[in-house]
């Protein structure tokens, strides 16, 4: 489909950090996406937790399946709005690369360990991976992705860090916006996890059908599903309800964002960068989204069984960090770096671990 004038255009990209010859077959955003898919960090997402620790069961979402769902939703929204699908897909596939093992529990534990050395933030770590840590190319460190993909991966950033980051940090100082493709991936991310967490929550047995029906938004749609198909069982009803809910959010996001695009009379990506945020849900759907999030927090994320998993994860990360700081030779790091550099190397190492590898290493060196 034709790109709208306010879409990101690979021909007008702000470029890569290291100049490269253009590909004969692929545009620059396609190349970014392909490099992400072929990276080691992307493969490791398969064994990293979303909500449930990877070994809890094979049917739950992992960071990999989550990222694929975010990419699928992002491509659909991009196509509807006339934006660049390849860029949205690249950002979506890379958005969670920097996650530690054990999901948010892992991140908060590593952040605590790293407090004296500048902290740890998974979003910054995703950028660090694509800019420095991937190590497959001869001519440069990282994946040497375009500015547009890098700015999309860096969702948020403190002013202090923004100053250190150079080009991609500037918008947090100037308070300008990223491309519409970057903006929409943030919403696709939320739409994906809110709905797949309901699904995983139910299939794990931690969230029941009755509890779901106490969520008014869910219950209203569930009733509609039952009118159309009165004989379906609970499981089928939940699946259909989730699909309808997702559709409502995606359709609302597209309609509301298109209205805002029209009102702002955008005619270039520069207009996008200088406008207020464009992509968004209507007020009515923002309220519904909040209801879903509150429900998930109460019933799933703070469920005693999930809490037990996350407490364990905290312990594993903390002990791994301490042990490796005391004895970095275990992972072939020499002890002659400054304490700050050592901590950053160990944090990179731990953040890169899969759930499984973190547990194995913990068993081996901390017990
Ligand atoms: Mg995500």
């Amino acid at each position: 489909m034709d790109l709208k004038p306010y879409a990101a255009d690979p021909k007008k990209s702000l470029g890569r950090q290291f100049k490269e010859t253009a590909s004969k077959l692929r545009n620059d955003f396609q190349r970014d996406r392909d490099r992400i898919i072929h990276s080691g960090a992307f493969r490791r997402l398969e064994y990293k937790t979303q909500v449930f620790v990877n070994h809890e069961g094979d049917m739950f979402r992992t960071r990999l399946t989550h990222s694929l769902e975010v990419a699928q939703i992002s491509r659909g929204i991009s196509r509807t709005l006339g934006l660049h699908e390849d860029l949205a897909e690249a950002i979506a596939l890379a958005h969670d690369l920097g996650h530690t093992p054990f999901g948010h529990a892992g991140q908060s534990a590593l952040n605590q360990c790293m407090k004296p050395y500048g902290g740890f933030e998974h979003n910054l770590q995703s950028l660090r991976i694509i800019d420095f840590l991937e190590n497959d190319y001869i001519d440069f460190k990282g994946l040497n992705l375009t500015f547009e993909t890098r700015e999309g991966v860096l969702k948020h950033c403190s002013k202090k860090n923004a100053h250190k980051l150079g080009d991609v940090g500037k918008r947090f100082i100037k308070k300008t916006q990223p491309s519409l493709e970057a903006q929409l991936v943030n919403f696709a991310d939320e739409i994906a996890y809110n709905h797949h967490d309901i699904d995983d929550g139910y299939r794990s047995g931690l969230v029941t059908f009755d509890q779901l029906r106490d969520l008014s938004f869910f219950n209203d749609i569930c009733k509609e599903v039952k009118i159309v198909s009165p004989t379906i069982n609970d499981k089928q009803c939940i699946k259909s309800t989730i699909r309808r809910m997702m559709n409502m959010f995606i359709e609302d996001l597209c309609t509301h964002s298109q209205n805002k695009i029209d009102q702002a009379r955008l005619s270039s990506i520069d207009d996008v960068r200088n406008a207020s945020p464009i992509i968004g849900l209507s007020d009515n759907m923002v309220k519904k989204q909040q209801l879903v999030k509150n429900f998930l927090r109460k019933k799933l994320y703070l469920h005693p069984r999930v809490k037990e998993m996350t407490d364990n994860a905290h312990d594993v990360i903390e002990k791994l960090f301490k042990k490796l700081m005391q004895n970095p030779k275990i992972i072939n790091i020499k002890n002659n770096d400054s304490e700050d550099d050592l901590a950053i190397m160990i944090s990179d190492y731990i953040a890169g671990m899969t759930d499984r590898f973190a547990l194995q290493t913990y068993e081996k060196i901390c017990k």
Side-chain angles (χ1 to χ4, degrees), residues 193-204:
Y193 67 68
N194 283 334
H195 295 87
H196 66 48
D197 286 353
I198 295 178
D199 188 35
D200 280 357
Y202 174 73
R203 284 184 305 114
S204 66

Side-chain angles (χ1 to χ4, degrees), residues 32 38 56 63 68 86 113 163 169 199 201-202 231 261 275 304 333:
D32 283 2
H38 288 272
E56 288 273 315
R63 291 264 164 221
L68 295 175
D86 295 330
C113 299
H163 281 287
D199 188 35
Y202 174 73
T231 57
I261 288 171
I333 297 177

Side-chain angles (χ1 to χ4, degrees), residues 192-321:
Y193 67 68
N194 283 334
H195 295 87
H196 66 48
D197 286 353
I198 295 178
D199 188 35
D200 280 357
Y202 174 73
R203 284 184 305 114
S204 66
L206 301 186
V207 173
T208 65
F209 190 38
D210 282 344
Q211 284 173 336
L212 279 167
R213 277 188 303 195
D214 287 338
L215 175 63
S216 57
F217 174 47
F218 181 94
N219 197 37
D220 292 345
I221 301 172
C222 184
K223 278 186 198 154
E224 287 171 25
V225 170
K226 287 261 187 191
I227 292 169
V228 183
S229 319
T231 57
I232 56 170
N233 62 32
D234 290 356
K235 199 173 149 196
Q236 290 166 321
C237 184
I238 289 171
K239 289 269 180 201
S240 299
T241 306
I242 290 174
R243 274 198 297 274
R244 280 183 184 224
M245 283 166 69
M246 284 182 83
N247 246 324
M248 280 175 74
F249 277 105
I250 293 167
E251 281 178 13
D252 181 86
L253 187 81
C254 291
T255 313
H256 186 71
S257 302
Q258 187 61 60
N259 287 342
K260 285 190 75 176
I261 288 171
D262 297 342
Q263 278 162 18
R265 298 172 193 273
L266 302 177
S267 60
S268 71
I269 191 165
D270 289 335
D271 289 349
V272 172
R273 294 190 193 286
N274 293 318
S276 49
I278 294 287
I279 304 289
L281 294 162
S282 66
D283 290 347
N284 181 29
M285 288 309 276
V286 169
K287 280 184 203 142
K288 291 194 159 67
Q289 189 179 48
Q290 204 47 53
L291 287 178
V292 175
K293 284 165 86 98
N294 293 345
F295 173 86
L296 282 168
R297 213 179 110 72
K298 260 216 261 148
K299 303 292 181 207
L300 184 62
Y301 308 144
L302 295 178
H303 191 287
R305 231 187 86 205
V306 174
K307 184 88 179 41
E308 194 189 311
M309 285 190 284
T310 50
D311 288 349
N312 279 341
H314 215 274
D315 200 43
V316 169
I317 298 288
E318 211 178 270
K319 288 197 173 132
L320 277 174
F321 186 84

Side-chain angles (χ1 to χ4, degrees), residues 13-252:
S13 166
L14 297 178
R16 302 179 187 279
Q17 285 172 300
F18 300 89
K19 243 190 160 15
E20 291 185 54
T21 325
S23 159
K24 284 179 191 152
L25 302 175
R26 294 171 297 161
N27 72 56
D28 276 338
F29 299 150
Q30 274 180 287
R31 276 180 109 182
D32 283 2
R33 177 202 55 205
D34 299 348
R35 284 179 188 187
I36 292 159
I37 290 179
H38 288 272
S39 70
F42 184 71
R43 283 193 297 280
R44 288 197 297 273
L45 294 178
E46 184 175 2
Y47 300 105
K48 290 199 182 206
T49 301
Q50 189 65 27
V51 174
F52 297 89
V53 176
N54 188 266
H55 63 258
E56 288 273 315
D58 290 343
M59 75 279 208
F60 300 126
R61 264 69 171 192
T62 65
R63 291 264 164 221
L64 180 67
T65 59
H66 163 70
S67 301
L68 295 175
E69 290 181 30
V70 177
Q72 178 270 322
I73 295 169
S74 300
R75 279 201 317 267
I77 299 168
S78 280
R79 190 177 297 192
T80 307
L81 297 178
L83 303 174
H84 207 292
E85 279 182 64
D86 295 330
L87 175 61
E89 188 180 13
I91 297 169
L93 292 175
H95 86 283
D96 270 353
L97 288 180
H99 264 288
T100 60
F102 316 126
H104 288 284
Q107 129 124 358
S108 97
L110 193 54
N111 185 31
Q112 232 169 48
C113 299
M114 285 295 289
K115 271 274 144 69
Y117 316 101
F120 176 87
E121 211 274 298
H122 72 85
N123 193 223
L124 271 180
Q125 190 69 7
S126 299
L127 186 72
R128 197 168 152 72
I129 287 172
I130 58 176
D131 279 358
F132 299 109
L133 297 178
E134 278 299 309
N135 194 18
D136 279 351
Y137 295 84
I138 297 160
D139 298 331
F140 45 78
K141 278 186 175 175
L143 301 176
N144 198 29
L145 304 182
T146 60
F147 174 85
E148 290 74 11
T149 300
R150 294 171 59 236
E151 76 160 352
V153 168
L154 191 66
K155 248 193 330 202
H156 34 76
C157 175
S158 67
K159 264 209 173 149
K160 195 177 115 215
N161 285 325
H163 281 287
K164 290 186 210 151
L165 289 172
D167 55 0
V168 275
K170 271 188 194 152
R171 79 177 155 94
F172 298 97
I173 299 159
K174 289 186 181 167
K175 300 221 157 67
T176 54
Q177 303 307 317
S179 68
L180 295 178
E181 288 81 352
Q183 293 182 37
L184 75 86
V185 173
N186 293 340
F187 286 90
D189 186 20
E190 282 210 30
I191 293 172
Y193 67 68
N194 283 334
H195 295 87
H196 66 48
D197 286 353
I198 295 178
D199 188 35
D200 280 357
Y202 174 73
R203 284 184 305 114
S204 66
L206 301 186
V207 173
T208 65
F209 190 38
D210 282 344
Q211 284 173 336
L212 279 167
R213 277 188 303 195
D214 287 338
L215 175 63
S216 57
F217 174 47
F218 181 94
N219 197 37
D220 292 345
I221 301 172
C222 184
K223 278 186 198 154
E224 287 171 25
V225 170
K226 287 261 187 191
I227 292 169
V228 183
S229 319
T231 57
I232 56 170
N233 62 32
D234 290 356
K235 199 173 149 196
Q236 290 166 321
C237 184
I238 289 171
K239 289 269 180 201
S240 299
T241 306
I242 290 174
R243 274 198 297 274
R244 280 183 184 224
M245 283 166 69
M246 284 182 83
N247 246 324
M248 280 175 74
F249 277 105
I250 293 167
E251 281 178 13
D252 181 86

Side-chain angles (χ1 to χ4, degrees), residues 325-337:
M325 280 298 279
Q326 283 160 4
N327 193 357
K329 281 187 195 138
I330 298 175
I331 51 169
N332 294 325
I333 297 177
K334 288 187 197 109
N335 218 348
N336 48 11
D337 290 291

